[in-house]
Structure formats: structure tokens, C-alpha cells
Amino acid sequence: MADHPKTDLVPYLRGELAPADRARVARHLEGCPECREDAAALHGLIETLGRSVPPPPAIHWGRWRAELTARRDARRGRHAWWWRPVPLALSASLAGALLVLVVLGGPGTPTGNDLAVVEQTLLGRRLELLRQLSVVERLELLEDLDIIRQLDRLAAASEG
Amino acid sequence: MENSDEALCRRVAERDEAAFDLLVERYRERAWRLAWSILRDAEAARDVSQDAFIRLYEAAGSFAGRARFSTWFYRLLVNRCLDHRRRNRWWRLWARDEGEAPGGETLLERQPAPAYDPGDALSREQAVSALWAAVDRLPPRQRAVVTLQAQEELSTAEIADVLKCSQATVRVHLHRALKTLRRTLEKR
Ligand SMILES: [Zn+2]
């Protein structure tokens, strides 16, 4: 028998065929033992697959959610950088200016220890950001770190 | 306030964080299960399932509301599963978590150890293990079709919608996949 309706068998078994197609496949099955056998085997296979889906491995949802948030924030940060380059450059210079104030000026002269704490905090914040941002931003932040190192040398020189 | 998936998605388009959280809560298990079923790699599935939600957040405005939200979201997810090898891997290298076991185990290793009970139960269990190991070896699109059909119980029309192909194509994928699976079982 020509034209066995092979790819129609699963939709037929799942009741997805239009009435005319359904009737055509049913007629064919009546006269074709080969397709009847196929249909029976497919029926068993579909049933077995449906009943035995292996469960996925367990997952720590808290960690998964935190990663999702971090990745989404990093992407938003990146978009902000591409779309608003001037404000970011401005905020970077402001941060730089603030740093100069903290290191060189401010009320009273900070001791070496205070300086180290301030630097560690600033560096820590930058490194935290660094973890979340993409390569382009990393370059810019590395420039910030370079500024910090320059200021470090400046402070050492003024102390010495 | 209406809390259907579709209504929540429209709120996400207006940058409603609470609506996003609700959709994540509703769909994260499905996303994880489906990504893992198609990719069979825990780390890749983790990456792709998160990716789908990021895309959902960014593209919520383009959800036209004609399709069901679930179909639209499955499409985001399955496309990412099928593309994942081509994508930039920087994030995974950057954020790799040493505390977590790698997801390289095979399906057979994940199956519960068969009880020492010779007879029907054991041979049936072995047959099921062999069946899913064979699903693992199917080409990705065929595996996606089998998974969407058997696991998510989507109709042919819905699978066609998710994969953006014709129903005839879905039928061909499914036919080929089931033919392969049947051969695997018959060879045993
Ligand atoms: Zn026939």
C-alpha cells in the first residue's frame, strides 16, 4: 500500500487531526497491518515517555535568583554606559574628586591607617562592581584603580 | 489587579518589579526543567534558564498578547537552549561557582539504582533508562520536540509556535525521534 500516513500517526493518536484527516488515517489503519503495528508501538512509546520523565537535578533557588538579579543588573549597567556615556564619565570624575578630597584634604589629616581603611573600602566597592560588569566597563574601572594608585604615591610623597 | 501571566507580562513591560518577581516564581521551575531536559547539562541549563528571564524582562514590551504567555516564554527559552553553544561564554567563566558540583553526570547515573528484583520491574526500569538515554542522544531539535510533547504536554500546534516552524515540520521531527527511540527499544 502506497502513502502510509507515517507522520500523521502521532497527531492521530493525540487527537489533533482535523475530522477529514482523521477519517482518512482511520480508513488507512483498517487496511494496513504495518501502520496498525506502528500506531500501537507509538502509542506505547508516547505513554511511557509521558509517565517516566526524569526529574531535573535539585537546584538552590536562592542562589539561582541572586545570580539572575546580578546578571540583569550587570546588563542594565552596561546599557546605561552605552546609552548615557556623559553622566557616567561625570560620575567617575566626581568620584575621583571626592577621593582627592578624602585623601588630601578634609577635616584633619588622616593617619596612614585611616587612609588604608578608606582605600580598602573604595577598592572593595570597585571590586564588587568589577565582578558584575562587562569587559568594557572593566577597562574604565581599571583606570580608576590606576588613579587610586597615583594618589597613593602622592600621599606617600606628601607624608615622606 | 489582574494576575494572569499575560497581565503580569504587560506590567513587566512597564518595569513593574513585583510582576517580574511573580513571573519568575511561576515559571522558574518549568524553565529549569525544560532547559535541563533539552541541554542535559546542569550548568548550561542554569545559564539558559536565567537568560530566558533576562530576555523576558527586556523584551516584555514586544509580547503582543496574541499568543499565550507560556508559549511566548517557551519560545525565548527553547531558542536559547538551541543557540547556547554559539553564545558568548564570558559570564560563566566570570561567575563560576566553585561550591557547586559540575553537572556532567549522565542520565543513567541519575537514575535510581535498580532494586535487586529480577523480573518485569527490573527489565522495565532498564528499558525506561535506555529510552531516556536514547532521548539524550537525539539531535537537539528532535529532543526539544519530544520534551515539549512528553514533558510539557504541548500540542503539535503549540510546539510549532514555540519553534517557529510549521506543524508539518514538528510532525516530521517527532516521527523521526520516535522512530529512533523505538529502534533503541527493539534492539534491546
Ligand atoms: Zn500503512
Side-chain angles (χ1 to χ4, degrees):
Chain A
M1 190 178 289
D3 285 347
H4 300 284
K6 297 293 185 194
T7 61
D8 285 339
L9 289 179
V10 173
Y12 173 81
L13 292 168
R14 299 182 76 203
E16 291 179 350
L17 291 182
D21 289 328
R22 185 172 175 76
R24 171 177 54 81
V25 174
R27 263 197 316 276
H28 181 92
L29 285 174
E30 272 173 35
C32 181
E34 185 190 324
C35 284
R36 274 206 302 277
E37 195 192 322
D38 275 358
L42 288 174
H43 180 70
L45 192 54
I46 291 169
E47 291 270 291
T48 305
L49 283 169
R51 275 199 313 264
S52 64
V53 176
I59 187 168
H60 187 301
W61 284 114
R63 189 182 301 166
W64 180 92
R65 188 66 176 88
E67 283 172 8
L68 169 60
T69 304
R71 291 183 59 187
R72 209 184 54 160
D73 289 352
R75 280 180 64 90
R76 280 197 289 200
R78 185 157 72 237
H79 284 164
W81 186 86
W82 285 114
W83 294 337
R84 295 183 282 112
V86 175
L88 190 92
L90 207 69
S91 66
S93 353
L94 273 175
L98 242 163
L99 195 66
V100 170
L101 276 176
V102 168
V103 174
L104 300 176
T109 311
T111 67
N113 268 349
D114 288 340
L115 268 179
V117 169
V118 167
E119 265 179 37
Q120 268 168 15
T121 312
L122 287 166
L123 274 167
R125 284 203 194 123
R126 274 171 173 72
L127 288 170
E128 187 52 39
L129 266 175
L130 201 59
R131 285 167 54 79
Q132 297 183 7
L133 299 177
S134 69
V135 178
V136 180
E137 286 152 302
R138 266 155 54 198
L139 288 174
E140 182 150 40
L141 286 162
L142 284 170
E143 282 171 17
D144 271 12
L145 290 173
D146 199 42
I147 291 171
I148 292 170
R149 272 197 297 275
Q150 301 282 352
L151 288 167
D152 189 23
R153 276 199 287 275
L154 238 165
S158 73
E159 262 178 14
Chain B
M1 195 172 293
E2 199 198 342
N3 269 347
S4 70
D5 295 344
E6 290 74 17
L8 288 176
C9 187
R10 281 189 290 272
R11 282 165 54 193
V12 172
E14 292 156 13
R15 293 295 170 259
D16 181 333
E17 292 291 325
F20 179 70
D21 287 345
L22 262 173
L23 278 178
V24 170
E25 199 62 32
R26 272 183 204 177
Y27 277 86
R28 65 182 192 185
E29 303 247 11
R30 266 177 276 186
W32 166 243
R33 187 178 63 202
L34 186 53
W36 182 79
S37 298
I38 295 174
L39 296 168
R40 300 294 181 188
D41 176 289
E43 201 177 339
R46 185 183 189 87
D47 190 15
V48 164
S49 59
Q50 290 167 350
D51 235 21
F53 283 104
I54 292 170
R55 183 73 190 130
L56 155 65
Y57 185 80
E58 292 174 353
S62 70
F63 171 63
R66 281 189 299 274
R68 277 161 57 197
F69 170 80
S70 59
T71 308
W72 184 75
F73 180 70
Y74 280 143
R75 191 186 300 157
L76 294 184
L77 181 73
V78 172
N79 277 339
R80 261 147 197 79
C81 289
L82 296 176
D83 287 351
H84 92 286
R85 280 190 188 83
R86 277 174 288 170
R87 286 188 298 115
N88 188 343
R89 313 306 298 155
W90 73 266
W91 171 261
R92 279 177 60 189
L93 295 173
W94 192 249
R96 188 180 296 276
D97 187 343
E98 293 88 357
E100 197 149 11
E105 58 188 343
T106 68
L107 182 73
L108 283 171
E109 285 162 353
R110 279 195 307 273
Q111 295 294 323
Y116 186 68
D117 178 15
D120 280 358
L122 180 58
S123 65
R124 197 187 142 64
E125 197 170 328
Q126 285 173 337
V128 166
S129 293
L131 178 63
W132 284 98
V135 172
D136 268 6
R137 293 190 297 270
L138 290 173
R141 286 185 89 79
Q142 287 184 27
R143 191 158 66 224
V145 170
V146 167
T147 305
L148 288 167
Q149 197 259 188
Q151 178 174 303
E152 305 302 316
E153 298 182 329
L154 298 194
S155 70
T156 303
E158 287 169 322
I159 297 172
D161 230 8
V162 167
L163 295 177
K164 275 201 160 166
C165 63
S166 69
Q167 293 193 37
T169 303
V170 173
R171 284 174 193 174
V172 170
H173 280 315
L174 197 52
H175 173 72
R176 286 187 186 153
L178 292 175
K179 203 167 140 187
T180 305
L181 297 179
R182 215 178 131 188
R183 266 205 308 271
T184 309
L185 288 188
E186 282 167 359
K187 262 191 276 178
R188 288 171 46 83

